[in-house]
Amino acid sequence: MNRPIRLCHLSDIEDGDARGFDPHQQGHDSLFVIRQHRQVIGYRNACPHKGYEGTSMAWRKDRFLNKAHSRVICAAHGAQFDINSGECLLGPCPGQSLDRLPLLVNEQGDVYLLPADSEK
Ligand code: FES
């Protein structure tokens, strides 16, 4: 992937909630985006739980957060992750973190997935 991929408009994600995306047409949501006002945070939809690496985390389409929308939660074994750092706070993967993806919101509010090497 060499070019930014438009995922959606900011308004397509409810403030404080998350949404899954399949930007590479893989037939499943390979990443998810959390919206906090005008800020977006993206992670690969792949749990770091040892032995279950890569497990899709949503318990239902676009359901990546706990009830209070304060943590990311993995539906498989209930691991909980800090929304901002992706660090596992509770559950079976202490010391591990979600894989953060680089995103950009332009002035018009369009949300883009940036090429992976733009992180560096
Ligand atoms: S696969 Fe996510 S907690 Fe086990």
Side-chain angles (χ1 to χ4, degrees), residues 29-85:
D29 289 338
S30 58
L31 64 95
F32 61 96
V33 176
I34 303 158
R35 177 184 169 198
Q36 294 182 326
H37 308 292
R38 271 195 69 84
Q39 195 199 357
V40 287
I41 303 162
Y43 293 109
R44 206 174 297 285
N45 182 14
C47 188
H49 183 185
K50 240 187 173 39
Y52 299 90
E53 291 92 345
T55 298
S56 177
M57 299 175 63
W59 58 274
R60 210 176 86 191
K61 172 78 180 134
D62 299 332
R63 295 290 187 251
F64 293 93
L65 304 181
N66 63 355
K67 248 188 181 168
H69 288 192
S70 58
R71 288 181 178 178
V72 176
I73 192 158
C74 177
H77 309 105
Q80 296 185 22
F81 302 86
D82 183 273
I83 283 180
N84 292 296
S85 69

